[in-house]
Amino acid sequence: MNEKLYQIISKVFNVESSKINDETSPENLEEWDSFNFYVLLDELENEFNIKFDLDETLEIKKVEDFKEILKKHGIDV
Amino acid sequence: MNEKLYQIISKVFNVESSKINDETSPENLEEWDSFNFYVLLDELENEFNIKFDLDETLEIKKVEDFKEILKKHGIDV
Amino acid sequence: MGKNENLSYFLNEAKNIKTDNFEKKIRIAILGSSTINGYEETIRVKCHQKKIACRTYNSNYNQYNQEILKKDSKFYEFKPDITFLILDVRHVLGEIFFTPYSLSELEKKEFVKNKVREITNLIKTIINHSKSHVIFSDLQIPTYSPYGINEQKQEFGLKQIVKNINEKIKLEIKNEDLVSILDFNEFIQKYGEENIFNYKQYFSGDMKISIEFIPKFIDELMKFVNAITGSTKKCIVLDLDNTLWGGVIGEDGFDKIKLGDDPIGRSFVEFQKRLLALNQRGIILAINSKNNFDDAIKVINEHPNMILRRENFSSIKINWNDKVSNLREISKELNIGIDSLVFFDDDQINREFVKNQLSDILVVDLPTDSSIYPKILTELNVFELIKITDEDLKRRDMYSQQQERNEFKNEVGDFNEFLKKMDIEIKIKKADNFSISRISQLTLKTNQFNLTTKRYKENEIELFSKDENKIVECAEVKDKFGDNGITGAYIVEKKENEWIIDTFLLSCRIIGRGIEDSMLSEIIEKARKQNVKIIKGKFIPTQKNKPAKNFYENFGFSLEEDFWVFNTDNTINKPEHIKVIKNE
Amino acid sequence: MGKNENLSYFLNEAKNIKTDNFEKKIRIAILGSSTINGYEETIRVKCHQKKIACRTYNSNYNQYNQEILKKDSKFYEFKPDITFLILDVRHVLGEIFFTPYSLSELEKKEFVKNKVREITNLIKTIINHSKSHVIFSDLQIPTYSPYGINEQKQEFGLKQIVKNINEKIKLEIKNEDLVSILDFNEFIQKYGEENIFNYKQYFSGDMKISIEFIPKFIDELMKFVNAITGSTKKCIVLDLDNTLWGGVIGEDGFDKIKLGDDPIGRSFVEFQKRLLALNQRGIILAINSKNNFDDAIKVINEHPNMILRRENFSSIKINWNDKVSNLREISKELNIGIDSLVFFDDDQINREFVKNQLSDILVVDLPTDSSIYPKILTELNVFELIKITDEDLKRRDMYSQQQERNEFKNEVGDFNEFLKKMDIEIKIKKADNFSISRISQLTLKTNQFNLTTKRYKENEIELFSKDENKIVECAEVKDKFGDNGITGAYIVEKKENEWIIDTFLLSCRIIGRGIEDSMLSEIIEKARKQNVKIIKGKFIPTQKNKPAKNFYENFGFSLEEDFWVFNTDNTINKPEHIKVIKNE
């Protein structure tokens, strides 16, 4: 499941999934910009059939935070 | 799965599910009218996330036919 | 509320509705050019949920023309209060829908003219042969034109034909008070033709609205039903923290709450803007918040991104009392029923507590995501009015004046002294075109100071006003703080030797200032002049009209059998502090 | 075609596009009042899929005003061919969007006037400072009005304000050939605001179209790109059994095929009606069916529910040949390229075979459900024209006449004899307001008999026509069977001692009747009169213009370096059987 998340992130940001880890953030991945972050959110919502709250999305600073928020929505990654 | 189909049919036609069997048809169930037949099709499509072809729906004469058509769409009832 | 239930839910529920004994009753006819199965069941269930007893009539498939034009049809026999006329654009346009080229510009114009005439003729025939409101669902603008992107540059393309028909019908019925238009294109815009139109169901049974979307469409119809039955809400009561702004003022502080400037803050600003729009249209706003008053009021008065300000709120309860007590006080202070309130609070425990204690209030189930608040408010559909009167637009001001009055009262101390200083002035007016809709609205909505609680639609009031044996008058009330608008009305039936008061009511927010006595005095004086000795009136008790219970008795009427009776030779107890102007 | 891919697909694909060497090239600027991230990547990829080399320019967030008004902006520097101006209704309306009450009727009218002036000023500024087409996406009519159901009875409600702005802009730009309007409300109607507008994305980044629906919106933009680059399809080739009617005529028989009367039959009738609409607008229809000719043609001629009849089809191939051979013959017979054909066939094997053999043809992937056919046709979006000319509307007739001509030819036998009996008449006309758009269309769309294949937009042709040193003329061709309309054109550059033929083209369906020779003779005679001795022209070979390869040589030109040259003292090989009328 971890892999699935990494896969989606790697697809949206168009980078090798090997470059993705829990600490990946806009600071260390230049492909992560403010727009494709929203694209990523949209893909995750569609993929897992969930809806994030606006304030949840504002808390996400790195890949690990995605895991947290998905867990909150019952998606175990 | 048989049960699930009967359940939906019984809910839409508003009859006891014990009154439903494979031979149930508009002939022997007065609650089955031409309009709630479409309502039933709609519910089945939504429930199983499939789309029937128009000509498939025209072939349905009794409950057994629903099973056939669902099987065709990969739903095992 | 079962709002998200699908059609089979409504079909089954409709079978379970027992004869309703609700006070509000409505008879609804639905006439359509396509299959409208399922509509009447859904509307009956939705009415039942709103405590409206509803009977329905469905035209046979595409028989609307005959039903309307034949005066002895089952449709007229049904005596509808509301008639929905739902015509499909394909049906109206016929082959033109596919091949608009086959007509010349001139023929197109002729075509539009004929269709407008046909449809307005149908609408007007219904009005002439019944007392029904008519709601015409306008024609869907096609989402596809064979002209393609050129459609927009055509002198008179396919879409333009439909737009013209819609616009012209709108003009034709503009002055018909009984006719309204349902914006069908808004419905399509909201949910999308992709979803609303199902080709399979269309070819199978000429269904123009997919089974899945029938309940949503009935919500559009319900807006009119709510408005016509007077089920409209009057006041929105709002929590503050995480409801009007993001965060908690007591913890985060003035500078840290979220209001504008960031995504969360922008969502609250949008929510406030939509509240302001409703407020400007006459929906009252109130605050019910557990907070230190000073902290919270500072945000309202001073925060640069606040849209709603102190003057937008007609009642402000910022304290540590429980929410239910505050709601009761707001209801009392504004003199409107608990069932006219809508309560917004982000806290689910508060909401459940309120629902539990005050079953008549509408408690909105807010999601945890504040970005959805504006959408939730927009989709409530409980603030609809069939006609927005001047009083509606002025209401906001009137409630602010009310606050000033209360403060003045506290200042003056002695109540009689206060009344004298209020400079109250009443203008008594015969019902006319300007006041008929307001008088009807008052009979539909007034519960507390209403002696007989008879509900009359606009066309009935109009009929009464032309009846030589009836007096239909209203009272416009002013005082030193401003204009209350038309806030009282009565209907009197003139018999040879006695007059019977059929209806006597007063908007609750002005009760207790002697205005009711002045109005009654007016009736008695009028009778005296015409040498009528006996004035009779009933008090019909309801759950809500206790404030009016002792009105006749206190004035000097005596009970004889069912009626309270007054002999016009007796002295009239007319308040001295009120100036009455007659405007006959 | 990746049509259903989501945005991240387009964002990534956009990075993979190498410099395109496609013949068609386009420069697209997108100016928006909200966030338009993702638009340019998607449009580049969609252009690439259509073999259009596309460069894009994006305005900075909400900088469209400055970019348009400053003549030295990066926008003008980019030299766009198409500019999309996408303004959001909230942005244009400002606070009025929420509180239309704050304005009086008069102020509202003033507001509408100002906004229309502002926007048309922007549009006209672009046209004046560039050669770009401007596509204005009109304002979304709000799906919610604080007036609620009363909106429709307001003299001038919120929606009416927006409708008025849209209507007035439409009128203002009506005669601007370079300006078109994108019907944004159609887009909303199709998919629904519920889906297109995402509150979270709106508050987060001022996105007015949700990420999920950006690719769908770009499809709307692509209609204009296709039309302007001349990528429009000309002909729909149709199978019969289970494509134009339900069932198989050879098996089920005349009375048993499904056409009208039942759900399946109704879906085919609807499909035919939509085809008829396109046919009436100038899209050619043809039949490609494996059947006994007599069985099938009987249905077309005699079936009571058939919508399309024999005269609607410009080429009919009902035989037992394979589908690819038939398609090749249709293309040859109608004289239009394989890449101008769209092929509808319910049989997947046929479709794969055709795709495999004829890669340039558009083969439509029909679903097994015939009720979806009309929707599939409507959503193809490949028949768009930036301007529908008289020739487009007449095309259907012209192709029917073509069939008669072919039959006549077979009758006459000898080709020269046939030509003499055709009574061909050519009218040579200077380019004027009536013909400029057609001449541009011819340069954009003519591939086979086109000596230089230079593509010119309408504004360029207009410019040339005003240039004293250029001749821009067209040929209107008639014969005993009817009017072919404007089907030939040339552009000549006049230098002091020689004339250079910049463009010379002929619609392919009239090649080979001597018309091209008459037109060239006309140029030479004109030069002779003005004492110009030398006429020069280039033949620039492309994949498609072989039919024109030997034209100059056959006429008597000789090759000198890059040019074919003719001395006007030489005898002119002018066809005798053609009557030339000059209309100068």
Side-chain angles (χ1 to χ4, degrees), chain C residues 269-474:
Chain C
V269 167
E270 172 111 359
F271 183 52
Q272 288 200 23
K273 283 182 178 173
R274 300 215 187 179
L275 286 164
L276 176 64
L278 286 169
N279 184 233
Q280 291 193 344
R281 205 201 68 188
I283 304 300
I284 312 164
L285 303 181
I287 294 174
N288 180 2
S289 162
K290 285 195 186 182
N291 253 316
N292 286 326
F293 183 83
D294 291 344
D295 293 350
I297 206 74
K298 184 166 186 242
V299 177
I300 296 170
N301 287 334
E302 297 173 25
H303 196 289
N305 296 332
M306 195 73 192
I307 301 294
L308 298 170
R309 296 294 186 184
R310 191 164 187 165
E311 66 265 25
N312 298 107
F313 299 102
S314 300
S315 174
I316 296 180
K317 301 286 162 209
I318 303 172
N319 52 40
W320 297 98
N321 301 341
D322 71 90
K323 299 266 173 174
V324 169
S325 316
N326 276 344
L327 283 165
R328 287 214 176 95
E329 286 217 20
I330 290 169
S331 153
K332 212 171 126 193
E333 193 174 309
L334 299 175
N335 252 327
I336 53 181
I338 286 281
D339 61 353
S340 293
L341 303 182
V342 179
F343 182 49
F344 276 89
D345 195 318
D346 66 298
D347 185 285
Q348 203 185 346
I349 293 170
N350 284 339
R351 294 201 302 259
E352 292 308 318
F353 175 57
V354 169
K355 276 187 209 172
N356 203 289
Q357 300 287 308
L358 305 168
S359 64
D360 283 343
I361 200 170
L362 174 59
V363 177
V364 180
D365 282 317
L366 283 179
T368 51
D369 187 351
S370 62
S371 71
I372 312 298
Y373 289 8
K375 185 162 144 54
I376 299 264
L377 175 64
T378 308
E379 290 175 356
L380 269 184
N381 292 346
V382 295
F383 304 112
E384 299 291 353
L385 290 172
I386 200 69
K387 192 167 184 175
I388 295 176
T389 61
D390 278 351
E391 272 67 25
D392 294 313
L393 294 176
K394 274 191 274 176
R395 183 169 306 122
R396 192 175 61 120
D397 292 336
M398 295 189 298
Y399 277 90
S400 309
Q401 292 155 10
Q402 185 78 352
Q403 274 199 310
E404 290 179 59
R405 277 179 204 108
N406 288 340
E407 283 163 25
F408 181 65
K409 190 167 136 192
N410 294 337
E411 229 170 81
V412 175
D414 179 66
F415 189 66
N416 286 326
E417 202 57 30
F418 159 73
L419 281 181
K420 275 181 206 157
K421 290 189 176 168
M422 281 279 283
D423 304 337
I424 302 175
E425 192 180 295
I426 307 181
K427 220 178 258 173
I428 302 282
K429 289 167 149 184
K430 277 205 166 139
D432 60 15
N433 286 337
F434 301 102
S435 56
I436 283 173
S437 63
R438 172 62 180 166
I439 295 173
S440 159
Q441 206 189 51
L442 280 170
T443 71
L444 290 172
K445 291 169 58 181
T446 307
N447 295 315
Q448 292 181 272
F449 202 97
N450 194 337
L451 291 164
T452 54
T453 318
K454 295 190 181 175
R455 311 296 194 187
Y456 292 120
K457 297 197 191 68
E458 217 170 305
N459 54 331
E460 294 173 290
I461 298 290
E462 196 182 350
L463 227 60
F464 294 167
S465 73
K466 290 174 185 156
D467 186 339
E468 292 207 349
N469 295 317
K470 288 208 165 62
I471 300 173
V472 185
E473 294 185 330
C474 59

Side-chain angles (χ1 to χ4, degrees), chain D residues 36-231:
Chain D
I36 50 174
N37 291 49
Y39 291 24
E40 57 170 343
E41 292 88 345
T42 308
I43 209 165
R44 282 207 302 271
V45 175
K46 283 183 185 278
C47 279
H48 186 83
Q49 289 168 346
K50 294 255 177 186
K51 298 187 180 167
I52 303 168
C54 172
R55 296 284 164 273
T56 54
Y57 175 80
N58 236 2
S59 69
N60 282 330
Y61 177 68
N62 203 8
Q63 296 287 302
Y64 66 95
N65 256 303
Q66 296 89 307
E67 304 238 26
I68 293 169
L69 299 174
K70 279 179 64 183
K71 290 166 201 175
D72 57 350
S73 69
K74 291 231 163 89
F75 161 60
Y76 289 116
E77 209 173 278
F78 172 72
K79 292 198 193 313
D81 299 308
I82 310 178
T83 302
F84 289 100
L85 181 58
I86 302 164
L87 304 188
D88 177 65
V89 64
R90 286 161 187 258
H91 177 85
V92 173
L93 261 59
E95 290 308 308
I96 309 301
F97 183 81
F98 296 98
T99 54
Y101 318 95
S102 52
L103 301 187
S104 70
E105 297 294 287
L106 203 74
E107 286 169 324
K108 284 181 198 165
K109 276 178 191 150
E110 200 58 33
F111 178 80
V112 167
K113 228 170 82 185
N114 287 336
K115 288 298 163 190
V116 171
R117 195 166 39 212
E118 273 174 37
I119 293 170
T120 49
N121 180 40
L122 288 175
I123 293 172
K124 290 184 179 172
T125 306
I126 300 175
I127 300 177
N128 292 337
H129 295 319
S130 76
K131 293 178 168 182
S132 179
H133 281 265
V134 179
I135 318 297
F136 174 68
S137 159
D138 67 0
L139 302 184
Q140 193 201 330
I141 299 162
T143 57
Y144 162 75
S145 159
Y147 292 94
I149 55 174
N150 256 273
E151 165 75 27
Q152 295 288 64
K153 290 201 111 184
Q154 297 295 317
E155 190 82 41
F156 211 32
L158 175 62
K159 295 180 188 182
Q160 200 61 43
I161 291 175
V162 180
K163 284 179 189 170
N164 277 16
I165 294 176
N166 283 342
E167 283 305 316
K168 286 190 174 144
I169 291 175
K170 202 167 143 181
L171 283 177
E172 286 282 334
I173 59 89
K174 199 178 193 65
N175 296 316
E176 300 287 348
D177 283 330
L178 281 176
V179 184
S180 297
I181 289 181
L182 186 157
D183 191 348
F184 191 78
N185 286 291
E186 179 191 290
F187 174 62
I188 300 287
Q189 274 183 300
K190 279 195 287 195
Y191 302 110
E193 199 187 35
E194 285 273 307
N195 307 306
I196 289 171
F197 186 80
N198 180 315
Y199 278 92
K200 218 158 53 199
Q201 292 171 3
Y202 167 53
F203 293 128
S204 295
D206 197 23
M207 292 175 247
K208 292 292 167 36
I209 294 173
S210 68
I211 286 167
E212 195 178 341
F213 276 84
I214 289 174
K216 291 262 186 224
F217 182 58
I218 299 302
D219 284 339
E220 304 292 321
L221 270 53
M222 283 302 294
K223 292 179 184 174
F224 294 88
V225 177
N226 284 336
I228 289 169
T229 56
S231 313

Side-chain angles (χ1 to χ4, degrees), chain C residues 90 144 146 149-150 153 159 176 179 183 186 189 193-194 203 266 270 281 375 384-385, chain D residues 90 143 146 149-150 153 159 176 179 183 186 189 193-194 203 266 270 281 375 378 384-385:
Chain C
R90 285 159 187 260
Y144 162 75
I149 55 174
N150 256 273
K153 290 201 107 181
K159 295 180 188 181
E176 300 286 350
V179 184
D183 191 347
E186 179 190 291
Q189 274 183 302
E193 199 187 36
E194 285 272 307
F203 294 127
R266 281 195 288 271
E270 172 111 359
R281 205 201 68 188
K375 185 162 144 54
E384 299 291 353
L385 290 172
Chain D
R90 286 161 187 258
T143 57
I149 55 174
N150 256 273
K153 290 201 111 184
K159 295 180 188 182
E176 300 287 348
V179 184
D183 191 348
E186 179 191 290
Q189 274 183 300
E193 199 187 35
E194 285 273 307
F203 293 128
R266 281 195 287 271
E270 171 110 1
R281 204 202 69 186
K375 184 162 145 48
T378 307
E384 299 291 354
L385 291 172

Side-chain angles (χ1 to χ4, degrees), chain C residues 30 35-43 86 209 214 217-218:
Chain C
I30 307 176
T35 302
I36 51 174
N37 291 48
Y39 291 23
E40 57 170 342
E41 293 88 344
T42 308
I43 209 165
I86 301 164
I209 293 173
I214 290 174
F217 182 57
I218 299 302

Side-chain angles (χ1 to χ4, degrees), chain D residues 374-578:
Chain D
K375 184 162 145 48
I376 298 266
L377 176 64
T378 307
E379 290 175 357
L380 271 184
N381 292 346
V382 295
F383 305 112
E384 299 291 354
L385 291 172
I386 200 71
K387 190 164 186 177
I388 296 175
T389 62
D390 278 353
E391 272 68 27
D392 294 312
L393 295 174
K394 273 191 275 176
R395 184 171 304 125
R396 190 174 63 122
D397 292 337
M398 294 190 297
Y399 277 91
S400 309
Q401 292 155 9
Q402 185 78 351
Q403 273 201 310
E404 290 179 60
R405 275 178 206 112
N406 288 340
E407 282 162 25
F408 180 64
K409 189 168 136 190
N410 294 337
E411 229 170 81
V412 175
D414 178 66
F415 188 67
N416 286 325
E417 204 56 29
F418 158 73
L419 281 181
K420 273 180 208 158
K421 289 186 178 169
M422 280 280 282
D423 304 337
I424 300 174
E425 194 180 295
I426 307 181
K427 219 178 258 172
I428 302 283
K429 290 168 150 182
K430 275 205 167 136
D432 60 15
N433 286 338
F434 300 103
S435 55
I436 282 173
S437 65
R438 172 61 179 166
I439 294 172
S440 160
Q441 205 188 51
L442 281 170
T443 71
L444 289 172
K445 292 169 57 180
T446 308
N447 295 315
Q448 293 182 272
F449 203 94
N450 194 338
L451 292 165
T452 53
T453 318
K454 294 189 182 176
R455 312 296 195 188
Y456 293 120
K457 300 200 188 65
E458 222 171 303
N459 55 333
E460 296 174 290
I461 298 290
E462 198 182 349
L463 226 62
F464 294 166
S465 73
K466 289 174 184 159
D467 186 338
E468 292 207 346
N469 294 317
K470 286 205 167 62
I471 301 172
V472 186
E473 294 185 331
C474 59
E476 205 177 288
V477 180
K478 262 200 238 172
D479 61 34
K480 66 183 288 182
F481 294 102
D483 192 345
N484 283 285
I486 297 173
T487 38
Y490 50 77
I491 300 168
V492 178
E493 218 187 315
K494 304 200 280 188
K495 303 235 163 146
E496 205 161 331
N497 298 314
E498 58 181 32
W499 285 8
I500 299 166
I501 299 174
D502 173 85
T503 290
F504 191 102
L505 59 84
L506 204 66
S507 172
C508 40
R509 67 175 182 274
I510 56 162
I511 303 175
R513 298 183 204 155
I515 294 161
E516 52 277 41
D517 295 321
S518 293
M519 284 165 61
L520 190 52
S521 308
E522 176 58 25
I523 297 175
I524 298 170
E525 283 176 358
K526 209 169 265 171
R528 226 183 230 174
K529 271 189 214 153
Q530 298 186 26
N531 291 317
V532 174
K533 295 282 172 204
I534 302 295
I535 306 274
K536 286 162 82 173
K538 270 192 190 173
F539 171 73
I540 304 174
T542 67
Q543 283 195 335
K544 292 182 178 170
N545 69 353
K546 279 202 196 92
K549 192 180 169 193
N550 302 317
F551 174 56
Y552 282 135
E553 189 170 9
N554 290 345
F555 196 89
F557 280 56
S558 52
L559 192 62
E560 295 180 14
E561 283 166 47
D562 285 353
F563 284 95
W564 290 93
V565 179
F566 190 87
N567 187 313
T568 59
D569 291 337
N570 293 351
T571 328
I572 304 171
N573 187 11
K574 190 175 171 185
E576 304 257 312
H577 65 280
I578 295 176

